Amino acid sequence: MTITIRQKALANDNISLYLDIYDGGKRKFEFLSLYLLPEVDAETKARNEETLQRAHQIRAERILHPETIPEVGHLMIVKEIPNDESPEVLDWIQTYIDWMSDNTDYSKAIVDQSKYLKYLMSEFLANKRRPHITLRKFDKEWFKAFFGLDPDLHRLDERQHRLFQGYC
């Protein structure tokens, strides 16, 4: 069994750390939810070193105790559901937005917040490479991953802010 720490560059210039696990001809990945930040000062550099140390600790734990390796590799596995005729998540959100827009009980601010939710969800699903996931497949783990993200990831940069202005 070989376990290697790998890095994946993200769109926000952070680097995601994950384990590449190769065992008996099978390969799987364990995403660690650990991120290296761009090193702009000594504090960030020290934080990145601590993050790398934590990744090495997890790797050592997996080598010494392979039974701790998650069966599915990471939580963002989409389970196959036979005869899944449920709508895609983004289509369902758009249907809800359209319904609220036609209903005078909802203010423009509420509709705009829903549009923003749709924008965040589309970014999240694109990041997970699952833009067409259906409601039935969007289970508890996906829900927790979406709402459990680092709050800094939800802050809009200037480009995203301009894009979002087109939704409102």
Side-chain angles (χ1 to χ4, degrees), residues 61-78:
E61 181 181 317
R62 299 300 187 254
I63 290 170
L64 293 174
H65 304 285
E67 67 275 6
T68 64
I69 297 173
E71 281 297 313
V72 294
H74 61 90
L75 296 177
M76 294 291 93
I77 298 293
V78 177

Side-chain angles (χ1 to χ4, degrees), residues 117-155:
L117 170 75
K118 181 182 176 194
Y119 169 75
L120 289 176
M121 181 63 74
S122 67
E123 290 289 309
F124 171 75
L125 294 176
N127 218 4
K128 298 294 181 186
R129 297 189 176 113
R130 298 290 186 198
H132 301 291
I133 190 169
T134 62
L135 279 175
R136 285 187 68 196
K137 291 179 183 174
F138 196 87
D139 62 7
K140 178 180 173 182
E141 298 303 326
W142 280 84
F143 186 82
K144 287 184 346 190
F146 177 69
F147 285 103
L149 290 175
D150 182 350
D152 290 338
L153 294 178
H154 290 302
R155 288 205 188 110

Side-chain angles (χ1 to χ4, degrees), residues 5-18 32-40 44-56 150 153:
I5 297 173
R6 301 234 186 256
Q7 300 179 357
K8 180 182 185 317
L10 303 176
N12 62 0
D13 293 331
N14 291 347
I15 297 173
S16 174
L17 299 177
Y18 66 96
L32 303 175
S33 296
L34 297 175
Y35 303 94
L36 300 177
L37 307 174
E39 293 184 1
V40 293
T44 307
K45 187 174 183 175
R47 186 173 172 190
N48 284 345
E49 288 175 8
E50 290 173 10
T51 302
L52 277 172
Q53 285 178 347
R54 178 66 184 131
H56 284 286
D150 182 350
L153 294 178

Side-chain angles (χ1 to χ4, degrees), residues 53-117:
Q53 285 178 347
R54 178 66 184 131
H56 284 286
Q57 288 173 346
I58 294 171
R59 178 181 175 265
E61 181 181 317
R62 299 300 187 254
I63 290 170
L64 293 174
H65 304 285
E67 67 275 6
T68 64
I69 297 173
E71 281 297 313
V72 294
H74 61 90
L75 296 177
M76 294 291 93
I77 298 293
V78 177
K79 297 176 182 161
E80 285 302 314
I81 299 175
N83 303 324
D84 183 8
E85 297 177 8
S86 63
E88 293 180 5
V89 171
L90 294 175
D91 292 342
W92 182 84
I93 294 173
Q94 185 59 51
T95 302
Y96 185 67
I97 291 169
D98 294 343
W99 177 80
M100 282 194 308
S101 297
D102 295 338
N103 191 331
T104 57
D105 292 340
Y106 296 98
S107 68
K108 181 181 180 325
I110 298 274
V111 173
D112 289 347
Q113 288 175 352
S114 299
K115 289 177 182 178
Y116 181 57
L117 170 75

